[in-house]
Amino acid sequence: MLSSSINSALRGSSVIRAMFNEGREMAAKFGAENVYDFSLGNPVTPAPEKIGTEIKRVIDSYDSLTIHGYMANAGYIEVRDKIADNLNRRFDTKFSGKNIVMSVGAAGGMNAIMKSIIDPDDEILVIKPYFGEYRGYVTNFGGKIVECESFKDSFQPDLADIESKINKRTKGIIINTPNNPTGVIYTDETLKALSALLLKKEKELGTDIYLISDEPYRELVYDGVKENFLTGFYHNTFVVYSFSKSLSLPGERIGYVVIPDEMESAGEVQGGVEIAIRMLGYVNAPSLMQRVVAECVDEKTDVAFYDENRKMLLDALTEYGFSCVKPQGAFYLWVKSPVEDEEEFVNAAKKYHILFVKGSAFGCGGFVRIAYCVSHETIKNSLPGFKELASDFGLLK
Amino acid sequence: MLSSSINSALRGSSVIRAMFNEGREMAAKFGAENVYDFSLGNPVTPAPEKIGTEIKRVIDSYDSLTIHGYMANAGYIEVRDKIADNLNRRFDTKFSGKNIVMSVGAAGGMNAIMKSIIDPDDEILVIKPYFGEYRGYVTNFGGKIVECESFKDSFQPDLADIESKINKRTKGIIINTPNNPTGVIYTDETLKALSALLLKKEKELGTDIYLISDEPYRELVYDGVKENFLTGFYHNTFVVYSFSKSLSLPGERIGYVVIPDEMESAGEVQGGVEIAIRMLGYVNAPSLMQRVVAECVDEKTDVAFYDENRKMLLDALTEYGFSCVKPQGAFYLWVKSPVEDEEEFVNAAKKYHILFVKGSAFGCGGFVRIAYCVSHETIKNSLPGFKELASDFGLLK
């Protein structure tokens, strides 16, 4: 009845869905304020006020067909120009609107790229741990996910392992920095070395290998770390962006793809991505929100809010004896499970009404992801439970 | 570099893109008011005023995370409930919100369904002429389009031909009534006979065969013809809807899929479609517009405007000697080419700055599609050119 790919996805997804349902049942039973749900990467800081005023301004300024009508599949050129200008100001790039394709969020952009570059049995490299949804984006088009290692202390990619996994069928590598689920930011050193490796392999194999940089957390960085932007490192780079986290607009499905002129046959690739957007039924990024984000590119959500959560949780968990890499971006803490099978740890936490996600959902067992995009109160009130948990596992000194 | 499917799509799309560019060049050369572009199915009647007021009301009524945040992949349950209520009032159905999945337009809904039901080499039947984008929606997932005949006078489907093309690999049949490109509405008789045929074949083959009813033009009907709604005819029916035409919101990408309880294992299919929405990177239908359309389900665009265009064009073209089936829905006229190769006809029309699309783009040569979703003036001013064209082909008596 259902396709085999959807059947297996249904089976695979049941664990996370079960956790979601468990959280709701817990909330019903113990009161929402007594359940500490760290399982979802859902922004909690409000969208900048300008979003609302801009939506109303657009409604009052244009006729309805201009606001809600069709445009080119790549989006309004004036919107794309404004995004290009914003990137140029911040990252010393030289884009024009023609380098930008508006997309239905980052997920829509990722799918359009995968559709554009993957033939059946082509391989896409990912670095463990990685956002589990990448699996679908690649297998949708008959591609294969190839998992590469990262170092278990820094979670920077293991370049030797990546090199060993590149072959004639390698179409690209997805990177995600700041990273979901670790919160780690790849260093300039890492990015330069990765770029050099890809370039060497392209020459050796005579193929194009795309670096696909998924950057929804680009602006969520702490400790004064500079925001990364990937096209300066390597010619065949796609940048995929979403306004979901930076402007707290996840439900609106608005983002973009950057295709730099330096990419091999950039014009043709761009044409391919635009057709993929149509074939996959996105058709175009939502029209009203295109105009709105174009006027809000310089806005930011309240990054300091997440930073406060980060410090509070990191300090407490470290004090209790948990070990984790210090995250410098995104809103996730990647904690080493005190027992090898992290599902045991996940289940033990439920006793204290604490919910977080097992690392194997990100291709990397033995760890858990704690999403700290919650209220300050949720964090504060969860700490006694975390302390008990540490004690249960013999971590507390 | 690009995938083979995108490469072949790029080659195939060049004809329509060439026409689009030609139209723009013509407009630059002769003035936009002297070019009669009937090539695009782009609504021209404004969105109901309530759309704008409702958008502003939502912005003023809720906090930003409630407006722009994530929700379940299927959409807000309160929105789905309102849509179900609206359908129940109009079509004597008994849906609840649980039968509705919000989608990124009809195109997004179609892709989610195809992803859910197609395994490689499965077959999806379409009835000639058909919306060309269906090809991509089916081949995206390794499926094969199987073209079936319609009768060349009425453009009702040829059931004997459909029957001969159903086999073990047949996963579904797409129907689209009111039809793009013919404007024809399938009669109740046709729909009953088609349903009986599918039921017979399901029993004979022991398979599920889905009827996928693509209904973006549902409300655009003329001559007092009643609006069709397909779930009453056949158990395994998906209804796919978009607000693009009925509320003139094509750029906003907002629509829905109906999965009736009568469908075999409806709950599981629904779960499959929801996962497909996530895997394909739609994630959810745009959140603000979900709330807006929920309050505007009883609104309508100015159908009388299109009706006036229909009559004006149909009367004139018939008078000039062209022959075409009388359209009772959508905003297309499907005209028989006076010469076998309709491309010759398409090219001849350009002399009079008239642009329309060759039938072979819809899998049915020997005809052309004239999209009359244009201003009254465009139609009026194009008529002398149509008359000359008729004379050139010896049609004018």
Side-chain angles (χ1 to χ4, degrees):
Chain A
M1 195 181 44
L2 291 173
S3 64
S4 54
S5 73
I6 285 294
N7 257 326
S8 69
L10 267 174
R11 279 194 303 274
S13 79
S14 60
V15 182
I16 293 171
R17 219 186 319 157
M19 169 164 272
F20 180 72
N21 289 332
E22 217 170 338
R24 292 213 296 193
E25 279 164 31
M26 270 191 194
K29 206 163 159 186
F30 306 108
E33 72 283 7
N34 299 315
V35 176
Y36 314 108
D37 190 344
F38 297 99
S39 63
L40 291 176
N42 201 356
V44 284
T45 54
E49 238 184 83
K50 196 174 174 189
I51 293 288
T53 53
E54 197 56 33
I55 287 173
K56 291 200 259 181
R57 192 194 62 80
V58 170
I59 296 296
D60 289 334
S61 307
Y62 302 95
D63 69 277
S64 74
L65 291 177
T66 305
I67 302 169
H68 308 296
Y70 280 128
M71 82 298 308
N73 298 124
Y76 295 113
I77 188 65
E78 59 271 27
V79 169
R80 296 153 65 200
D81 279 341
K82 282 191 176 160
I83 287 170
D85 287 349
N86 171 270
L87 294 175
N88 294 342
R89 278 196 306 275
R90 295 160 61 197
F91 302 110
D92 199 25
T93 49
K94 291 194 170 102
F95 300 128
S96 78
K98 284 184 187 162
N99 297 109
I100 312 291
V101 177
M102 300 304 294
S103 66
V104 173
M110 291 294 284
N111 271 278
I113 291 169
M114 295 304 161
K115 167 90 188 161
S116 300
I117 64 173
I118 292 179
D119 275 314
D121 299 322
D122 279 347
E123 299 178 358
I124 299 288
L125 274 48
V126 292
I127 299 158
K128 296 197 292 182
Y130 61 94
F131 182 43
E133 300 288 302
Y134 294 156
R135 289 186 204 108
Y137 304 167
V138 169
T139 57
N140 280 338
F141 311 107
K144 288 182 183 165
I145 283 270
V146 177
E147 297 182 342
C148 301
E149 299 298 327
S150 63
F151 297 107
K152 288 291 168 287
D153 48 351
S154 64
F155 292 96
Q156 298 285 321
D158 178 341
L159 296 185
D161 188 58
I162 292 173
E163 177 159 15
S164 76
K165 284 168 179 166
I166 294 177
N167 62 54
K168 276 261 177 195
R169 297 238 63 137
T170 306
K171 270 305 175 79
I173 178 167
I174 301 174
I175 65 167
N176 171 221
T177 171
N179 183 264
N180 174 11
T182 65
V184 160
I185 294 175
Y186 292 175
T187 63
D188 269 21
E189 246 179 349
T190 296
L191 296 170
K192 275 178 198 159
L194 176 62
S195 303
L197 169 62
L198 295 178
L199 212 55
K200 186 183 95 172
K201 282 301 199 179
E202 277 195 330
K203 281 188 186 149
E204 202 177 298
L205 297 165
T207 57
D208 286 300
I209 304 173
Y210 296 100
L211 180 65
I212 301 137
S213 178
D214 181 27
E215 305 188 2
Y217 302 101
R218 190 200 293 147
E219 288 83 8
L220 295 191
V221 293
Y222 314 110
D223 300 335
V225 170
K226 81 170 171 56
E227 295 168 8
N228 263 323
F229 192 77
L230 269 287
T231 61
F233 290 89
Y234 177 67
H235 71 136
N236 274 336
T237 300
F238 288 103
V239 167
V240 187
Y241 185 76
S242 164
F243 293 95
S244 294
K245 320 291 179 181
S246 60
L247 299 181
S248 285
L249 301 173
E252 301 297 354
R253 317 310 307 140
I254 181 85
Y256 60 80
V257 171
V258 184
I259 300 170
D261 289 338
E262 290 74 19
M263 184 176 283
E264 209 60 49
S265 310
E268 204 176 326
V269 173
Q270 169 123 6
V273 170
E274 287 176 33
I275 286 206
I277 281 175
R278 216 179 68 207
M279 286 177 81
L280 287 168
Y282 307 112
V283 183
N284 55 253
S287 50
L288 166 62
M289 290 312 291
Q290 282 193 44
R291 293 192 191 280
V292 171
V293 296
E295 300 303 321
C296 297
V297 279
D298 293 320
E299 298 289 315
K300 262 196 180 190
T301 191
D302 186 0
V303 178
F305 176 93
Y306 293 122
D307 195 13
E308 204 178 320
N309 280 359
R310 177 182 72 118
K311 286 175 183 151
M312 199 174 1
L313 200 59
L314 184 64
D315 288 354
L317 265 57
T318 310
E319 189 197 316
Y320 304 155
F322 290 105
S323 73
C324 66
V325 59
K326 184 182 180 187
Q328 294 201 297
F331 38 47
Y332 306 109
L333 212 59
W334 183 245
V335 179
K336 193 163 166 34
S337 166
V339 281
E340 204 185 318
D341 176 7
E342 84 273 13
E343 241 183 298
E344 196 188 322
F345 181 44
V346 168
N347 287 327
K350 289 178 193 165
K351 194 165 61 166
Y352 305 106
H353 307 166
I354 296 175
L355 300 171
F356 43 69
V357 182
K358 60 177 181 173
S360 51
F362 306 92
C364 189
F367 290 82
V368 300
R369 186 192 79 170
I370 302 179
Y372 57 80
C373 42
V374 295
S375 71
H376 295 329
E377 288 63 43
T378 298
I379 297 206
K380 226 176 103 186
N381 297 334
S382 72
L383 296 183
F386 272 112
K387 199 168 179 178
E388 297 260 19
L389 196 57
S391 167
D392 293 349
F393 283 94
L395 298 175
L396 207 61
K397 275 144 217 166
Chain B
M1 195 178 46
L2 290 173
S3 64
S4 55
S5 74
I6 285 293
N7 257 325
S8 70
L10 267 173
R11 281 194 302 275
S13 78
S14 61
V15 182
I16 292 171
R17 218 186 320 158
M19 169 164 273
F20 180 73
N21 290 333
E22 217 170 338
R24 292 216 295 193
E25 280 165 30
M26 268 190 193
K29 206 164 159 183
F30 305 109
E33 72 283 7
N34 299 314
V35 176
Y36 315 109
D37 190 345
F38 297 100
S39 62
L40 292 176
N42 201 356
V44 284
T45 53
E49 237 182 84
K50 196 176 174 188
I51 294 289
T53 53
E54 197 55 34
I55 287 172
K56 290 200 258 181
R57 191 193 64 80
V58 171
I59 296 296
D60 290 334
S61 307
Y62 302 95
D63 69 279
S64 73
L65 292 177
T66 305
I67 302 168
H68 308 297
Y70 280 127
M71 82 298 307
N73 299 125
Y76 295 113
I77 187 66
E78 60 270 28
V79 169
R80 297 153 66 201
D81 278 341
K82 281 190 177 160
I83 287 169
D85 288 348
N86 172 270
L87 294 175
N88 294 343
R89 280 196 304 276
R90 292 159 64 196
F91 301 112
D92 200 25
T93 48
K94 290 193 173 103
F95 300 128
S96 79
K98 286 185 187 161
N99 297 109
I100 312 290
V101 177
M102 300 304 294
S103 66
V104 172
M110 291 293 284
N111 271 277
I113 291 170
M114 296 304 161
K115 167 89 187 160
S116 300
I117 64 173
I118 291 179
D119 276 312
D121 298 323
D122 280 347
E123 299 178 357
I124 299 287
L125 274 49
V126 293
I127 299 158
K128 296 197 291 183
Y130 61 94
F131 182 44
E133 300 288 303
Y134 294 155
R135 288 186 205 108
Y137 304 167
V138 170
T139 57
N140 280 338
F141 310 106
K144 289 181 181 164
I145 281 272
V146 176
E147 298 182 341
C148 301
E149 299 298 327
S150 63
F151 297 107
K152 289 290 167 288
D153 47 353
S154 65
F155 291 96
Q156 299 284 322
D158 178 340
L159 296 185
D161 188 57
I162 292 173
E163 178 159 15
S164 75
K165 285 168 179 165
I166 294 177
N167 61 55
K168 276 260 178 197
R169 297 239 60 140
T170 306
K171 270 304 176 78
I173 178 167
I174 300 173
I175 65 166
N176 171 222
T177 171
N179 183 265
N180 174 11
T182 65
V184 161
I185 293 175
Y186 292 175
T187 62
D188 269 19
E189 245 179 349
T190 295
L191 296 171
K192 276 178 198 158
L194 176 61
S195 304
L197 168 61
L198 295 179
L199 213 54
K200 185 182 94 172
K201 282 300 194 178
E202 277 194 332
K203 282 190 184 146
E204 201 177 300
L205 298 165
T207 57
D208 287 300
I209 305 173
Y210 296 101
L211 179 64
I212 301 137
S213 178
D214 180 27
E215 305 188 2
Y217 302 101
R218 191 201 292 147
E219 288 83 7
L220 295 189
V221 292
Y222 315 110
D223 300 335
V225 170
K226 82 169 167 60
E227 296 167 9
N228 263 324
F229 192 77
L230 269 286
T231 61
F233 289 90
Y234 177 65
H235 70 136
N236 274 336
T237 300
F238 288 104
V239 168
V240 187
Y241 184 76
S242 165
F243 292 96
S244 294
K245 321 291 180 183
S246 59
L247 298 182
S248 286
L249 301 173
E252 301 297 354
R253 316 310 306 139
I254 181 84
Y256 61 81
V257 170
V258 184
I259 299 170
D261 289 337
E262 291 76 17
M263 184 177 284
E264 209 60 49
S265 310
E268 204 177 326
V269 172
Q270 169 123 3
V273 170
E274 287 177 31
I275 286 208
I277 281 176
R278 217 179 69 207
M279 286 179 80
L280 286 168
Y282 307 111
V283 183
N284 56 253
S287 51
L288 165 63
M289 291 311 290
Q290 283 192 44
R291 292 192 191 279
V292 171
V293 296
E295 299 303 321
C296 297
V297 278
D298 293 320
E299 298 290 315
K300 261 195 179 189
T301 192
D302 186 0
V303 178
F305 176 94
Y306 294 122
D307 195 13
E308 203 178 320
N309 279 359
R310 177 182 74 117
K311 285 176 184 151
M312 200 174 3
L313 200 60
L314 184 65
D315 287 355
L317 265 57
T318 310
E319 187 196 317
Y320 305 155
F322 290 105
S323 71
C324 65
V325 60
K326 184 182 180 186
Q328 294 200 297
F331 38 47
Y332 306 108
L333 212 60
W334 183 245
V335 180
K336 193 164 169 28
S337 166
V339 281
E340 204 185 318
D341 176 8
E342 84 274 13
E343 242 182 297
E344 194 186 322
F345 181 44
V346 168
N347 287 326
K350 290 178 191 165
K351 193 165 63 168
Y352 305 107
H353 307 165
I354 295 174
L355 300 172
F356 44 68
V357 182
K358 61 178 182 173
S360 50
F362 305 91
C364 188
F367 290 82
V368 301
R369 187 192 78 170
I370 301 179
Y372 57 79
C373 42
V374 295
S375 70
H376 295 330
E377 288 64 41
T378 299
I379 297 204
K380 225 175 106 185
N381 296 335
S382 73
L383 295 183
F386 272 113
K387 196 168 182 179
E388 297 262 16
L389 195 58
S391 167
D392 292 350
F393 283 94
L395 297 175
L396 207 62
K397 273 141 217 165

